[in-house]
Amino acid sequence: MNLIILGAPGSGKGTQSVKLSKELSFAHISTGDMLREAVKNETDLGKKAREYMQKGQLVPDELVIGLIDQRIKQKDAERGIIFDGFPRNINQAKSLDKILNENNKSVDTVINLETTEDVVIQRLCGRRVCKKCGAIFHIKNMPAKIEGVCDHCQGELYQRADDKEETIKKRLDVYTKENAALMKFYQENKKFISLDANHDADIVYKEILDLVNDYNKNTSRAATSA
Ligand code: AMP
């Protein structure tokens, strides 16, 4: 099963995708994580992407599409994939369909995490990420046991450069501009489900898991009766 999690920055895509990918043993493909890694390692891709990311703009499509093309061929993607932060526009969505098709895969479900602007701004401003393992915390909603230290690996927690207020506004503008068309694209394909993601992460997680389990039950029922 291949799943896309859509939503604004701060809607909880990353938190939910990490948890879900562990539970289901699916590959978690986050273009944001892959790009941050490339920037950190100063690869050619990282050098090209850095400026766009600092400004809260989208990195050019051909760069991110190239990443996806390679990543979905890896072994851990065989069982299932959770796409987090990709696609971000129609061109990327169409390219994803093409790439998946070439690899005998398809998008099975798109879950849209709906949030209000005040909630995402509060979440993003307080978000802290582990430098070592990438685990996500929040200074109020999900605090680390020891301030500034990761609960899982004792790595140092930091605030992403693009989680500062000015860049957050830019990222939300970009999201608003691109997302309506993206949702329409998946609604027309009848694979689209929206969830209220203003709730606590645990409540949203349970709803996502129920959707995935229902999907799997229906698919195996259909396969048995065929
Ligand atoms: P994220 O971690 O998903 O919030 O992404 C952080 C930043 O990485 C975004 O603001 C973009 O600059 C870049 N980025 C991540 N995913 C994409 C994508 N699918 N297309 C273009 N740029 C992306």
Side-chain angles (χ1 to χ4, degrees), residues 66-83:
L67 276 178
I68 294 290
D69 197 15
Q70 293 168 18
R71 181 66 182 85
I72 64 152
K73 295 189 172 82
Q74 290 174 15
K75 185 123 186 76
D76 68 334
E78 275 170 19
R79 203 178 135 82
I81 303 172
I82 301 169
F83 292 98

Side-chain angles (χ1 to χ4, degrees), residues 9 13 30-33 35-36 52-53 56-61 64 84-88 92 127 160 162 171:
K13 297 189 300 292
S30 156
T31 40
D33 285 350
L35 289 167
R36 276 185 289 282
Y52 296 98
M53 295 173 78
Q57 295 169 350
L58 291 186
V59 171
D61 286 352
V64 273
D84 158 17
F86 184 90
R88 290 281 235 272
Q92 292 183 10
R127 176 160 70 180
R160 273 172 47 176
D162 60 354
R171 288 163 65 205

Side-chain angles (χ1 to χ4, degrees), residues 10-30:
S11 58
K13 297 189 300 292
T15 305
Q16 301 296 346
S17 302
V18 167
K19 220 170 155 186
L20 205 60
S21 67
K22 281 188 189 141
E23 169 84 27
L24 303 170
S25 301
F26 283 7
H28 170 213
I29 302 187
S30 156

Side-chain angles (χ1 to χ4, degrees), residues 170-188:
K170 176 71 201 156
R171 288 163 65 205
L172 290 175
D173 285 350
V174 171
Y175 166 77
T176 309
K177 189 168 150 264
E178 302 289 355
N179 198 55
L182 198 54
M183 289 204 294
K184 191 161 170 271
F185 177 81
Y186 286 119
Q187 271 160 343
E188 279 165 4

